């Protein structure tokens, strides 16, 4: 039988280590909802995959929990993506979207955190988004329009 209590590694972000009580990705689709005036139904449009977010209930617990907690908070406040290692998932480069501390006076040496991460995207690609094609069409149309206007007003 598998020893589940020892099957998972300790988590870290930007080198700041912490324990995980619960974690998991939040996945879905972006849906545009357009209500119809006076109607009983709505129109919906699938806008593609929503950005994945990892929600993590984390904690630090030791005689140095205060220092470990401050290190985690500093890691979350630093700019740019960094390596995120979670107990079960493959490590990835991610941005910390939020970090909320929850310390209780009845649990000294234990500091809980609610963390949210988003995987870092690659370099922006105009071709992948379709924006490049829109700009090319607009540029071609603008050049043609400028030529017509120039001929009309010599």
């Amino acid at each position: 039988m598998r020893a589940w209590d020892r099957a998972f590694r300790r988590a870290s972000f930007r080198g700041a280590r912490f324990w995980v009580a619960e974690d998991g990705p939040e996945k879905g689709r972006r849906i545009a909802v357009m209500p119809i005036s006076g109607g009983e139904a709505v129109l919906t449009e699938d806008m593609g995959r929503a950005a994945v977010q990892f929600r993590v209930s984390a904690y630090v617990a030791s005689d140095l929990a205060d220092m470990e907690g401050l290190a985690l908070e500093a890691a979350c406040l630093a700019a740019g993506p960094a390596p995120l290692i979670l107990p079960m998932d493959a490590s990835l480069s991610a941005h910390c979207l939020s970090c909320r501390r929850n310390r209780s006076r009845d649990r000294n040496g234990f500091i809980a955190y609610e963390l949210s991460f988003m995987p870092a995207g690659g370099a922006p690609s105009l071709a992948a988004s379709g924006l490049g094609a829109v700009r090319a069409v607009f540029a071609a149309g603008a050049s043609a329009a400028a030529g017509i206007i120039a001929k009309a007003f010599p």
Side-chain angles (χ1 to χ4, degrees):
M1 180 174 221
R2 187 170 181 183
W4 285 103
D5 60 333
R6 287 180 265 139
F8 302 114
R9 61 188 170 195
R10 192 167 177 190
S12 70
F13 178 65
R14 205 179 298 273
R17 294 169 41 115
F18 54 91
W19 298 102
V20 173
E22 295 179 3
D23 74 298
E26 183 176 312
K27 301 176 181 181
R29 309 229 18 112
R30 296 178 299 132
I31 304 297
V33 178
M34 295 149 285
I36 299 172
S37 178
E40 297 296 324
V42 296
L43 297 176
T44 60
E45 182 178 355
D46 189 329
M47 305 292 286
R49 192 178 289 169
V52 175
Q53 289 189 33
F54 287 88
R55 309 257 185 221
V56 181
S57 293
Y59 63 94
V60 291
S62 73
D63 286 340
L64 298 175
D66 53 345
M67 302 308 286
E68 292 172 350
L70 291 174
L72 178 57
E73 291 174 31
C76 288
L77 287 174
L84 171 64
I85 299 171
L86 293 173
M88 192 172 92
D89 297 306
S91 62
L92 67 146
S93 181
H95 296 275
C96 182
L97 300 176
S98 66
C99 171
R100 187 175 64 86
R101 178 179 57 206
N102 185 9
R103 190 196 66 78
S104 171
R105 73 177 175 146
D106 297 331
R107 297 189 76 184
N108 292 322
F110 180 95
I111 304 171
Y113 287 91
E114 292 299 323
L115 307 170
S116 179
F117 298 96
M118 179 176 289
S125 170
L126 296 180
S129 70
L131 188 56
V134 170
R135 285 186 177 168
V137 168
F138 180 77
S143 296
I148 292 169
I149 292 171
K151 288 180 186 175
F153 300 99

